[in-house]
Amino acid sequence: MKQRTVSARPGPSYKVRPGKSGSVKSRNALSERCKLAAASESSKSGPSSAIEESREHGALLVEEGMCVTLLQPGEKLTFVGKCILTCLYGSVKVLGLTINSSEMPYELFSPKTHAPLAIEGLKQKKKCKTCKEIRMEARMLLRGYLSLDCRRAVMKNFKSSCAILLLERLEDPAVNYILSHPDYANIFGKEMKKTHSSAVSDPVLYSIGVHGCDPDTAITMSEEVVSAAQQIVSACLEEDDGCPIILVCGPKNVGKSTFNRYLINQLLQHIPCVEYLDCDLGQTEFTPPGCVSLLSITKPVLGPPYTQQRDPHKMVYFGETSCEQDMERFVESLKYVIKSYKRDQPLIINTMGWVKGFGLLLLIDLIRLLCPSHIVQMTLKDKNLMEPLTPEYVRNSAGFMTKAQSQAQCKTRSMDFLDEEEQDYSDQLHSRASGDHNLIQIESSFDGAGDTDNIPCHNWILRDLAMLGYISKLQQFDQIVPLNGLLPYEVPFNAVALRVIHADVSPSHIMYSANASWVGLCHILDDVSSQDSGPVLLTQTPICDCVGFGIIRGVNLVKKVYHILTPLPPDTLRWVNCLLIGNISVPHSIFKHQPGVQGDLPYVTTEYDFTIYGSGKIKLNKHLKRREHL
């Protein structure tokens, strides 16, 4: 999500709102709108209605879709919704990111699918200024944003310790596309809750799309989390042993993703970029599900994954939400992606919540492969689901593809499952031996930690939302166009190779599998061009670059072409010569929401008979137990 920068001007009195031009004409127009808004409020509710509203609710309406609020140090504004936040005076903190005055605006996303965000006022640094000088400084910073009447109303409640915030209505194309589907129309809140709490029923905040809620429900960071993040930030700034590699692990629903976002926001306040290796196939952070990806993060993460879809610089499409059925291919995919890590920036590794049985064995393999400098192990109170991953435990435990190593062998045989070429590369990449890391243990103490039955939103819904966030890139018009109204690309059968990853499909039925499928658009090194007009089918799943995704809208057997919808530009599509179909299906909300269709909806049926032998897909277990695990 791109952030809009504030235009530069010669003096503080000429600062303008985000998204506005810096011309004198624009500033005068803004001032006139502010005056008209203030006059309109006065004519409706009396001469002091806006000021009274500010005193009661803490928010002052400046104009349609824009308001100003004050926060004392330690005071929190917890909300559901979305907005653009600009700190006009003082400083606040949001999910580990400290936002000071005179900084760029930030887009905040706080949906019902996740715990609410909280904007917390911070204590100001001591200034060698009098109260009068502080008030004059605040007035100067408010100029260009607020009219004179609004500035007076704000300054009546201003104290030198306050933070002054400008909140604006946020119109985001990805979110607007998601909200256009009836199944997800209310994830950012629509109805104002009836309660006696003024923070919840504030009509000013409601008018810009922000719905206040109980501060106790907000995302909170324990002292252990804050201390662990500070320790890692210090290590990243010192770089005594090269750029740190931080692996975050733990069971499901213990806060791994929240900790990663908090850590990223903390690091970006000190360094320009953080590398992120996503190994969690089911709950990816910046890509659609089913991917192993490596990304460079340069902007803070202030929202859930479906609002933060970004382009990785290396990605493999695994095609499953779990690697349980094909763990060897998962390890090979990870080895393929990690080769692109140059180790010039700190690396955060996001792992799966599968930590029992083979999941723990696979985690030990990943530790030996990636050689992290820090392991953040998140645990549950009074539940010992896994042993502490101390250096001794990792060295003396067998993985799924590796054997236990003695301390004498760990330096010479750090990864015995790598071939000679990969071993040489790994020796250049990692300066430390596997099992030589700093273990940081965090006990998750928030309500519902580890309880997957009472989570705010099911994982399959989050996966569908992430896919909708990616598909939203197809929308290039002001008005949302349904997918059945977009013009697809025509791709000849013999120009691309086709492979179904998750099941064995007969060649005579391959087109049934391809039609209306979510497909990874990939590039393989082999030449797939064919003189035959029929489809080119692969017999094995390749480990290759995935450049993006698309939907096979239809298959034309007469012209022998695939009709593919994808947001990728033509220059990128020229590299695509392989289509991978996995066990990731197109969100059902897309099929159910097809405007303009008369009669039966395309691709939708209620007459499918699952009792017919062979009607379901065949599950393949492609890994065998090693001798040491029998």
Side-chain angles (χ1 to χ4, degrees):
M1 203 64 58
K2 295 184 178 179
Q3 295 166 337
R4 294 170 289 177
T5 57
V6 178
S7 304
R9 273 158 300 280
S13 61
Y14 293 99
K15 188 183 299 181
V16 300
R17 293 197 299 116
K20 303 295 182 181
S21 65
S23 64
V24 176
K25 182 178 179 180
S26 297
R27 291 195 298 271
N28 292 338
L30 172 61
S31 178
E32 290 298 326
R33 288 199 302 272
C34 293
K35 292 179 180 178
L36 290 175
S40 176
E41 290 294 326
S42 299
S43 62
K44 291 179 181 179
S45 306
S48 59
S49 61
I51 298 177
E52 293 299 329
E53 187 177 2
S54 174
R55 287 173 178 173
E56 182 181 358
H57 301 291
L60 173 67
L61 182 66
V62 176
E63 61 172 298
E64 181 65 27
M66 187 173 84
C67 73
V68 174
T69 186
L70 305 177
L71 286 182
Q72 294 287 347
E75 184 181 1
K76 293 182 179 180
L77 173 58
T78 306
F79 69 96
V80 170
K82 50 188 173 62
C83 66
I84 302 174
L85 167 65
T86 305
C87 186
L88 304 182
Y89 181 82
S91 58
V92 295
K93 178 176 287 188
V94 183
L95 198 57
L97 178 69
T98 300
I99 304 175
N100 300 310
S101 60
S102 304
E103 288 188 2
M104 64 170 56
Y106 291 91
E107 296 177 345
L108 308 184
F109 300 90
S110 181
K112 295 179 179 179
T113 55
H114 293 70
L117 286 179
I119 307 172
E120 181 181 0
L122 298 180
K123 187 177 181 180
Q124 306 297 327
K125 295 181 179 180
K126 292 184 178 180
K127 299 180 180 180
C128 299
K129 296 181 180 179
T130 63
C131 293
K132 183 177 180 180
E133 291 174 337
I134 292 176
R135 293 182 67 86
M136 289 180 62
E137 179 185 3
R139 288 181 183 275
M140 291 291 290
L141 291 173
L142 294 180
R143 290 185 180 180
Y145 293 97
L146 309 178
S147 66
L148 178 60
D149 293 338
C150 292
R151 293 201 300 271
R152 288 174 176 173
V154 171
M155 295 307 296
K156 284 186 177 181
N157 296 327
F158 174 79
K159 296 181 180 179
S160 59
S161 59
C162 283
I164 306 177
L165 307 179
L166 177 68
L167 304 177
E168 294 183 89
R169 183 184 296 120
L170 172 59
E171 297 296 335
D172 180 73
V175 172
N176 290 341
Y177 177 73
I178 293 174
L179 296 180
S180 68
H181 296 80
D183 293 344
Y184 307 117
N186 296 322
I187 61 174
F188 282 94
K190 284 287 186 180
E191 298 177 358
M192 185 185 298
K193 299 179 181 180
K194 296 181 180 180
T195 177
H196 298 292
S197 173
S198 61
V200 176
S201 59
D202 193 333
V204 174
L205 296 178
Y206 177 78
S207 68
I208 66 167
V210 172
H211 316 275
C213 54
D214 188 353
D216 294 336
T217 63
I219 298 176
T220 56
M221 298 298 159
S222 64
E223 295 182 0
E224 286 183 299
V225 170
V226 174
S227 176
Q230 290 176 348
Q231 182 178 342
I232 294 173
V233 170
S234 298
C236 293
L237 296 179
E238 292 173 359
E239 294 186 349
D240 292 335
D241 190 19
C243 285
I245 299 176
I246 305 101
L247 185 143
V248 182
C249 62
K252 296 180 180 179
N253 197 35
V254 293
K256 296 189 299 295
S257 297
T258 302
F259 176 80
N260 287 336
R261 296 166 196 159
Y262 180 86
L263 181 58
I264 289 173
N265 293 340
Q266 287 272 294
L267 287 172
L268 289 180
Q269 294 181 144
H270 305 278
I271 57 178
C273 177
V274 178
E275 297 289 307
Y276 191 87
L277 177 62
D278 203 337
C279 308
D280 190 351
L281 299 173
Q283 295 300 322
T284 50
E285 188 69 25
F286 301 106
T287 66
C291 301
V292 179
S293 59
L294 180 67
L295 304 95
S296 297
I297 309 301
T298 58
K299 297 177 181 179
V301 184
L302 300 172
Y306 52 89
T307 64
Q308 304 287 336
Q309 293 292 295
R310 308 185 186 188
D311 295 327
H313 56 78
K314 195 73 170 181
M315 178 170 61
V316 169
Y317 183 50
F318 188 80
E320 295 271 5
T321 59
S322 172
C323 66
E324 185 177 359
Q325 304 300 327
D326 199 352
M327 293 168 60
E328 290 188 9
R329 183 165 65 89
F330 175 75
V331 174
E332 292 299 321
S333 301
L334 188 59
K335 291 193 294 186
Y336 183 83
V337 171
I338 194 59
K339 289 182 181 181
S340 297
Y341 175 52
K342 304 302 182 183
R343 196 164 184 188
D344 54 353
Q345 300 292 345
L347 175 66
I348 297 176
I349 304 169
N350 181 36
T351 61
M352 298 174 288
W354 183 30
V355 295
K356 294 182 180 180
F358 280 101
L360 179 58
L361 302 180
L362 181 61
L363 179 59
I364 292 174
D365 284 342
L366 298 188
I367 294 173
R368 289 183 178 147
L369 169 64
L370 303 171
C371 295
S373 61
H374 297 74
I375 293 181
V376 179
Q377 183 177 358
M378 308 192 75
T379 60
L380 293 170
K381 187 177 181 180
D382 301 329
K383 291 184 181 180
N384 297 323
L385 297 181
M386 56 189 302
E387 294 292 330
L389 298 175
T390 61
E392 293 76 18
Y393 179 83
V394 173
R395 283 194 292 264
N396 298 324
S397 299
F400 174 69
M401 302 178 66
T402 59
K403 298 179 181 179
Q405 304 170 11
S406 65
Q407 294 184 3
Q409 293 175 326
C410 67
K411 293 185 179 180
T412 58
R413 298 181 61 198
S414 60
M415 286 168 285
D416 57 351
F417 59 95
L418 297 182
D419 56 34
E420 183 177 353
E421 180 182 355
E422 291 168 337
Q423 181 70 57
D424 294 339
Y425 172 80
S426 181
D427 291 340
Q428 297 175 4
L429 180 65
H430 306 292
S431 61
R432 67 181 68 83
S434 64
D436 183 16
H437 58 264
N438 182 13
L439 176 63
I440 303 175
Q441 291 184 283
I442 299 175
E443 187 178 272
S444 298
S445 57
F446 61 89
D447 293 339
D451 187 2
T452 57
D453 295 331
N454 295 320
I455 55 178
C457 190
H458 292 291
N459 290 337
W460 68 268
I461 295 179
L462 297 178
R463 287 193 284 269
D464 281 0
L465 289 171
M467 297 171 70
L468 291 175
Y470 182 88
I471 296 172
S472 67
K473 299 178 183 178
L474 284 166
Q475 302 297 323
Q476 301 178 355
F477 310 96
D478 294 336
Q479 185 177 1
I480 294 176
V481 179
L483 295 190
N484 58 334
L486 296 174
L487 187 65
Y489 289 97
E490 285 190 352
V491 181
F493 285 174
N494 59 359
V496 293
L498 186 66
R499 172 67 179 172
V500 178
I501 299 172
H502 61 288
D504 289 334
V505 181
S506 171
S508 60
H509 291 77
I510 197 73
M511 292 306 171
Y512 293 106
S513 299
N515 193 26
S517 293
W518 179 263
V519 60
L521 306 178
C522 305
H523 173 75
I524 58 177
L525 298 179
D526 298 335
D527 185 12
V528 300
S529 60
S530 174
Q531 299 297 329
D532 187 8
S533 59
V536 180
L537 305 181
L538 297 177
T539 58
Q540 293 183 342
T541 302
I543 307 296
C544 58
D545 289 328
C546 179
V547 298
F549 298 92
I551 297 176
I552 299 181
R553 177 181 164 179
V555 179
N556 191 324
L557 297 177
V558 177
K559 293 184 177 181
K560 298 186 181 302
V561 295
Y562 306 105
H563 293 284
I564 299 179
L565 290 171
T566 177
L568 294 181
D571 291 342
T572 304
L573 289 176
R574 291 190 180 98
W575 290 91
V576 175
N577 61 357
C578 178
L579 305 180
L580 296 182
I581 301 172
N583 197 19
I584 311 293
S585 59
V586 178
H588 291 173
S589 59
I590 290 180
F591 293 132
K592 293 187 297 183
H593 183 62
Q594 301 184 59
V597 176
Q598 296 181 356
D600 295 335
L601 291 175
Y603 313 110
V604 178
T605 181
T606 58
E607 300 177 355
Y608 192 81
D609 189 358
F610 285 94
T611 62
I612 300 176
Y613 179 77
S615 61
K617 69 182 182 65
I618 301 175
K619 293 185 178 180
L620 303 176
N621 192 337
K622 298 183 180 180
H623 69 261
L624 300 176
K625 290 185 178 181
R626 302 285 172 173
R627 180 177 302 173
E628 56 268 29
H629 303 317
L630 295 176

